[in-house]
Amino acid sequence: MEGPSRQAAATVAPAPTPSQACAALAPAGGWRCFSTAGSDPYAEVEWVRRDAVIHGEGGQVVFEQLGVEAPSSWSEIATRIVASKYFRGAPGAPERETSVRQLVSRVVDTLGEWGRRDGYFASREEAGAFCGELAWLLLRQRAAFNSPVWFNVGIEARPQCSACFINSVDDTMDSILGLARTEGMLFKYGSGSGSNLSSLRGSMEPLSTGGTASGPLSFMRGLDAFAGAIKSGGRTRRAAKMVLLDVDHPDVVDFIRSKQVEEGKARALVAAGYEAGFAVAGGAYDSVGFQNANHSLRLSDAFMAAVDADGEWTTRAVLGGAPVATYRARDLLRWMAEAAWECGDPGVQLSTTIDGWHTCPASGPIRASNPCSEFLFLDDSACNLASLNLLSFWRPESGFDCAGFAHAAAVLLTAQEILVDRGSYPTAAIEETSRRFRPLGLGFANLGALLMAAGVPYDSPQGRGLAAAVTALLTGAAYAQSSRMAAARGAFAGFADNRQPLLSVLARHRRAAEALDGGEDGCEIAAAARAAWAEAAALAEAHGARNAQVTVLAPTGTIAFMMDCDTTGVEPDLALVKHKQLVGGGSLRIVNRTVPAALDRLGYPPESREAILEWVEEHGTVEGAPDLDEAHLPVFDCAFRTPQGTRSIHHRGHLAMLAALQPFISGAISKTINVPAETTVEEIESIYRQAWTMGIKAVAVYRDGCKSSQPLTSGGKRRPEPTVGAAPSPVRRRLPDERRAITHKFSIDQYEGYVTVGLFDDGQPGEIFLVMAKEGSTISGLMDAFATAISIALQHGVPLQALVDKFTHTRFEPSGFTRNPAIPIAKSITDYIFRWLASKFLDADGQRAAGVLVRDDAAGGDPGDSEAGRAAAADPAAAAAANGGGALFHQDAPSCHACGSLMVRNGSCYRCLNCGATSGCS
């Protein structure tokens, strides 16, 4: 299907004859490494038929395709997400794709034919070898392209293949309105866009016709509204957008506070009764601005030095550069931290650090990035992404497959390079820059799983050493292949003007690689990385490079599901327990597959391993597990703690990982430093300063619970919550004189009792009464007083989730067995009451049911056939599945726009663990 975004596509140059294609283009050793000549890679895979069904939050079917063919090694969630997102043709139509075989061959065969015609392969046999390798990698979930490739390649003659775009804008009305159109077309075809608006005059600068300029923020409102209107147009996500401003722009203070001000408005609307979700028409967040973009400030070394010296900072007019206003530099940084503390924006990009790694400074500055900050390059450029699944190259008995990984990087990079000339672009300027400089974004996913499987803590020198070695090997192998392609096809058109800067940057990468140690588990990888960089430097010196950039580390949203990754991008695991959806709306708690692998790697015998896994399944943490050596606790640390645990990875650990990897990446690393609710403004300010001193290019910070949004209930209503950090203003919400109620009989050991819950009109609990059948007057009085206190708390807006987190798992007598199969053992009366309340109200509200354990007790059986499984299916606790096993995080995450489940943070965006949709990351 041809669209307006295809109009600017230029014709491809005539393909060279086979004799013109250089055999040196193939990786060292030729194209074959995994596949076998004369063998069909599709026939080597065992195929099965599955029904791909995705249920929404309320149990309704949001997607269904029966009899989908997929490799037997693929999980059910990978099968259903790929079928729902990437299969082409209308559901039920004869032309609808029905097999992963069709999907992969559509893309692979198209790339092979394009590559042969465009002179990348000397013969059909060589093209066939390339296709065999690529199909082998994709079918075995070792690699995946960004979503636009799966959407469009093999379907459209000139497909949009890139996920990341950077757009320029000039200080004219034509340019500003043109940006709106360009962004709209990019959002329509499933891509993201970023722009630096520092070229627009400040709101106090004069216009040539008289009066003053509107300023960037005025136009940001309009552009944000356009993005919001198109947010359902993408096939897997809403509009993804980045807005940047330089720290010396005259409107910098207004920009810093722009989202903070809107967040305050949203809180006021929530308090006034407006619904608090991002996807609610007419709700609080639908009524305020700047909700469809990430905001980032570009900070120079000069500014950060002024912060260090407690000096002044002067903003300057866009026209003429005259001084406009002077501030204390530390005040500006503090205002950034305060705004991020309150609403998550702005992030920061360290512009001088970015410039120091710029391969093409003679052709212009780097001023902006894509929405998630990993693609940093010239204005009006595009980048197609692909990622390798790190865990798939790990073997417990032999370690990391360095040779296979380097070969896979070369194959993927070649495929991405073929897409540059065959893809379409929304503007002539983007097309020209992209084809002139040919930047590519090869990266990886599953780093956190790799480190855990290797028995190495994420936050440790060993973990950072192994991760850095893998990253260095990736980029070294990619640049070596880029130079081979330059030998065969010529260097990128802008190479001659930028030869010395590019070679200088490559030399800087190589020096960093030579300093690698890798640690005990990464020493062989480090040696392979040093060899790859020696080859890359020699080839670049002789032939130049085909691509100005070759690697980024993206958040890998939907494609992480396609590869069955436990972790995305560079992130550690979110939680040790994941959920498995059940037909009918329930879920099972299952321990991540990397936990057993880590226990094996650490040498635990089978009986200890089983005891630890049972503990993790029940408690969501290894803390306190029997037979576990406390020295191994850091191996299992995750990004967030669980209600039953105390451990998590500190923000310094996240920063240290970014700093360790950044010297080996052409672009940047998409990562938001998620911090707990109790984090202070001073700590966020410290994160920004540490990022600068550690040489990190870009960083964003998100404090859990800082937004007033919360997921939809099953009935479309929301329960207001008090705002973290807001001035206390308790308002009692009284129940009507006639109210609905529910009474539940329970027994704990030999004690029986009744709990009655009075409900607000929206079905939420507003009061409780506790009556014990066998108790003395003291217990009766205490229970009555306790119930009264809880009732007052509920009526004054204390979230039920907070009460559940506080009172579940408290221990005192009476305790023991109960008659409730969903809560077989209670540690106390309060433990039972709040676990029951969670099962009845929090799950139906889309919140996590903390402490409510739903397990399959029939080993190896169908989860829905076990007693617990049937209980889960009958009780929609599955809504808790979307937030990663009860970990204390993402309390304000949005509901999925596709299926309604609670999403989890992924880089600067969110992804849905139920249907695979993302809010900006492909």
Side-chain angles (χ1 to χ4, degrees), residues 849-921:
V852 181
L853 303 179
V854 183
R855 298 192 289 135
D856 181 6
D857 296 321
D862 183 346
D865 291 336
S866 70
E867 181 177 0
R870 288 190 296 273
D875 180 0
N883 103 349
L888 295 176
F889 67 106
H890 302 330
Q891 300 170 34
D892 53 358
S895 298
C896 175
H897 56 281
C899 71
S901 296
L902 189 63
M903 303 181 85
V904 298
R905 199 155 187 88
N906 188 49
S908 299
C909 311
Y910 291 92
R911 68 173 184 149
C912 176
L913 299 182
N914 180 43
C915 74
T918 69
S919 66
C921 311

Side-chain angles (χ1 to χ4, degrees), residues 626-712:
D627 301 334
L628 184 75
D629 185 343
E630 287 195 3
H632 293 153
L633 283 173
V635 173
F636 303 97
D637 283 348
C638 296
F640 302 95
R641 68 176 179 88
T642 64
Q644 294 79 26
T646 61
R647 298 182 61 91
S648 63
I649 297 172
H650 193 272
H651 70 254
R652 288 189 296 269
H654 297 273
L655 282 170
M657 182 62 78
L658 287 173
L661 271 54
Q662 186 60 78
F664 307 107
I665 291 293
S666 294
I669 305 167
S670 175
K671 178 143 181 47
T672 295
I673 308 298
N674 293 288
V675 296
E678 60 268 21
T679 301
T680 65
V681 171
E682 290 77 12
E683 287 175 305
I684 293 177
E685 186 177 354
S686 175
I687 289 173
Y688 292 154
R689 297 178 74 166
Q690 289 177 62
W692 173 59
T693 60
M694 297 168 80
I696 296 169
K697 292 183 179 179
V699 69
V701 180
Y702 192 86
R703 186 178 64 85
D704 188 35
C706 66
K707 286 185 174 291
S708 296
S709 63
Q710 58 183 176
L712 278 167

Side-chain angles (χ1 to χ4, degrees), residues 791-836:
S791 300
I792 292 173
L794 291 171
Q795 292 171 28
H796 281 82
V798 175
L800 177 59
Q801 182 65 66
L803 298 172
V804 168
D805 289 341
K806 188 67 175 178
F807 291 106
T808 53
H809 304 293
T810 52
R811 293 178 181 271
F812 56 83
E813 297 298 331
S815 64
F817 293 96
T818 79
R819 296 175 186 171
N820 188 339
I823 312 174
I825 299 176
K827 300 170 185 175
S828 65
I829 296 172
T830 57
D831 175 47
Y832 182 91
I833 293 300
F834 282 93
R835 288 166 69 186
W836 178 79

